[in-house]
């Protein structure tokens, strides 16, 4: 049974309406606008309100305005019941949001019919809202599942490079966290704010682990060489940027529609070894021509390489690593990115410690 709230300051009117409606519905009756608002906010709320217009202290128009201003009661349908018979009064009530308008003296058959109509409409709206909420929940569940699959796929691809070069250890986790830290620090900077929006930061962080995916195409004799590379070997090693770029570009072409993280992963993979002064590779880009995503990854990648042990070198002491980063400001790195790094250097060191390779001897003190 539906619950109907009747609001009228005249006891006789309350009695008449209650008598008409109570056989088929649960009826609650109150004699003031303030009391009506209290009942409307109770749980469960009424399914329909029959509201007198002419009442002392707060009239029906005022009650309706407060009902609509409150999200908890805004959807309760209201039928005005009043002795006001002019078309202007009826128009005003409907304009303010009443669903119907019944004039006094009431005719029981009219009241029953109009109440039934409004309750059926409300039931239909409620059913539609429930179905919409169910659909929204299912869409959200499937999107979350797709994002989980996407994240797992990204890390699986990134691990290909790591499997080829086992010395990199937790390099992916550390550099991903470093990039996230830099992006947060620079998100309000005038030069970076337009790009480093929350959605772009999310895509950037998701893309970061793919930066060295091109190393899967480098021969083991070069990738795993314990000593210094020859000039020819170094030229081959540098091709990992373009190899990674081409692999991701092919994935982009195979996709049915644009995928944001692939576009950014392509930037990072291709250009994270470019230098601010144009002396980097593979394209010798300089300054703002280097994508922001690649500029952030450049510093994250170099810092990690400095403080972590490799087969061909020991880790640099932290003080020395910081000096090298500072010396690279304006030559290797975007000056503002270096400033962001030093603003968050303690966080970088915490990340390095949290994801340290047990065997690496990383310098984090």
């Amino acid at each position: 049974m539906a619950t109907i709230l009747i609001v009228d300051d005249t006891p006789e009117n309350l009695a008449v309406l209650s008598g008409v409606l109570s056989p088929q519905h649960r009826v609650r009756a109150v004699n003031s606008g303030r009391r009506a608002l209290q009942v409307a906010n109770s749980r469960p709320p009424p399914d329909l309100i029959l509201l007198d217009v002419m009442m002392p202290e707060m009239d029906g128009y005022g009650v309706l305005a407060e009902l609509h201003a409150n999200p908890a009661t805004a959807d309760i349908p209201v039928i005005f019941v009043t002795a006001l018979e002019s078309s202007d009064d009826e128009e005003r009530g409907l304009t303010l949001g009443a669903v119907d308008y019944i004039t006094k003296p009431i005719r029981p058959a009219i009241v029953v019919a109009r109440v039934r109509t409004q309750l059926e409409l409300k039931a239909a709206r409620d059913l539609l809202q429930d179905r919409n909420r169910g659909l929204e929940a299912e869409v959200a569940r499937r999107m979350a599942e797709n994002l989980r699959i996407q994240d797992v796929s990204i890390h699986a691809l990134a691990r290909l490079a790591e499997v080829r070069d086992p010395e990199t250890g937790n390099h992916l986790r550390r550099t991903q966290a470093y990039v996230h830290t830099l992006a947060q620090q620079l998100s309000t900077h005038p030069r970076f704010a337009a790009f480093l929006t929350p959605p772009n930061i999310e895509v950037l962080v998701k893309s970061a682990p793919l930066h060295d995916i091109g190393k899967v195409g480098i021969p083991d004799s070069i990738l795993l060489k314990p000593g210094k590379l020859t000039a020819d070997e170094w030229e081959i090693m540098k091709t990992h940027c373009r190899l990674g770029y081409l692999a991701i570009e092919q994935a982009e072409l195979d996709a049915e529609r644009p995928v944001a993280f692939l576009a950014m992963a392509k930037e990072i993979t291709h250009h994270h070894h470019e230098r601010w002064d144009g002396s980097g590779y593979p394209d010798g880009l300089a300054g703002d021509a280097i994508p922001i995503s690649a500029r952030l990854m450049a510093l994250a990648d170099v810092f990690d390489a400095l403080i972590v042990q490799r087969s061909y070198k020991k880790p640099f002491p932290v003080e020395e690593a910081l000096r090298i980063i500072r010396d690279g400001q304006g030559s290797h790195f975007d000056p503002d990115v270096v400033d962001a790094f030093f603003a968050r250097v303690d966080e970088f060191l915490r990340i390095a410690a949290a994801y340290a390779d047990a065997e690496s001897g990383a310098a984090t003190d």
Side-chain angles (χ1 to χ4, degrees):
M1 295 177 70
T3 298
I4 299 176
L5 172 61
I6 302 172
V7 188
D8 199 304
D9 63 318
T10 304
E12 292 80 3
N13 291 335
L14 291 177
V16 171
L17 285 169
S18 296
V20 170
L21 296 170
S22 58
Q24 294 85 27
H25 310 289
R26 286 186 294 268
V27 175
R28 301 188 67 178
V30 298
N31 61 3
S32 72
R34 290 297 178 194
R35 180 62 182 145
L37 293 173
Q38 292 174 355
V39 173
N41 276 286
S42 64
R43 290 291 176 267
D47 296 292
L48 178 67
I49 299 175
L50 298 185
L51 179 60
D52 187 21
V53 174
M54 303 302 293
M55 294 185 294
E57 296 184 15
M58 175 181 280
D59 65 13
Y61 300 131
V63 174
L64 182 61
E66 292 210 20
L67 288 170
H68 283 178
N70 182 353
T73 59
D75 292 332
I76 302 174
V78 174
I79 297 177
F80 274 140
V81 182
T82 180
L84 300 173
E85 297 183 357
S86 76
S87 59
D88 289 343
D89 293 322
E90 183 175 357
E91 183 178 346
R92 180 185 179 192
L94 296 175
T95 299
L96 290 174
V99 296
D100 206 345
Y101 197 94
I102 299 174
T103 58
K104 300 175 184 177
I106 67 165
R107 287 172 287 178
I110 296 296
V111 172
V112 170
R114 293 191 175 182
V115 165
R116 181 175 63 247
T117 298
Q118 293 304 325
L119 288 175
E120 289 174 351
L121 287 172
K122 182 179 185 299
R125 286 195 301 270
D126 290 347
L127 179 61
L128 183 60
Q129 287 176 351
D130 288 343
R131 288 180 175 175
N132 285 341
R133 281 192 288 267
L135 288 172
E136 288 170 0
E138 178 63 15
V139 169
R141 186 190 67 79
R142 292 189 181 187
M143 286 184 65
E145 183 178 350
N146 287 340
L147 288 173
R148 283 194 296 271
I149 293 171
Q150 186 181 85
D151 289 344
V152 169
S153 300
I154 291 169
H155 279 274
L157 287 171
R159 291 291 179 191
L160 289 174
E162 198 171 59
V163 167
R164 292 286 320 286
D165 185 6
E167 286 190 342
T168 57
N170 282 325
H171 173 70
L172 297 181
R173 290 191 180 91
R174 289 191 299 269
T175 52
Q176 186 178 42
Y178 296 155
V179 165
H180 192 195
T181 301
L182 288 172
Q184 288 179 319
Q185 179 64 26
L186 290 165
S187 62
T188 58
H189 191 288
R191 290 182 57 224
F192 298 88
F195 175 77
L196 292 176
T197 60
N200 273 0
I201 291 175
E202 183 179 352
V203 173
L204 170 61
V205 173
K206 183 176 293 189
S207 306
L210 294 175
H211 67 280
D212 273 340
I213 188 66
K215 285 185 176 179
V216 298
I218 303 300
D220 285 350
S221 59
I222 295 174
L223 185 65
L224 305 180
K225 184 176 180 178
K228 185 176 180 180
L229 299 179
T230 66
D232 289 341
E233 290 170 337
W234 178 239
E235 289 303 313
I236 294 173
M237 175 63 84
K238 289 194 295 186
T239 64
H240 80 274
C241 295
R242 181 153 182 80
L243 292 173
Y245 166 82
L246 292 174
I248 296 172
E249 184 177 56
Q250 187 59 56
E252 262 192 318
L253 294 173
D254 291 341
E256 293 182 359
R257 57 181 61 89
V259 181
F261 88 85
L262 287 178
M264 199 171 296
K266 190 168 65 173
E267 286 183 353
I268 294 172
T269 302
H270 199 197
H271 296 300
H272 68 285
H273 285 297
E274 305 286 1
R275 292 174 175 247
W276 186 250
D277 63 6
S279 64
Y281 65 89
D283 295 332
L285 300 182
D288 288 332
I290 305 169
I292 291 174
S293 57
R295 282 181 251 164
L296 271 56
M297 177 53 71
L299 191 147
D301 198 33
V302 169
F303 176 71
D304 199 64
L306 290 172
I307 65 169
V308 175
Q309 180 172 311
R310 294 287 184 263
S311 60
Y312 53 86
K313 75 167 189 68
K314 292 183 177 181
F316 284 85
V318 168
E319 295 78 5
E320 179 68 7
L322 297 182
R323 184 192 63 76
I324 292 172
I325 297 293
R326 179 66 78 187
D327 288 348
Q329 187 172 27
S331 56
H332 193 153
F333 310 113
D334 182 328
D336 289 327
V337 175
V338 173
D339 287 341
F341 167 78
F342 280 101
R344 295 284 192 100
V345 69
D346 290 341
E347 190 169 342
F348 269 70
L349 296 177
R350 284 194 295 271
I351 293 167
Y355 296 112
D357 301 321
E359 73 282 1
S360 72
T364 57
D365 298 322

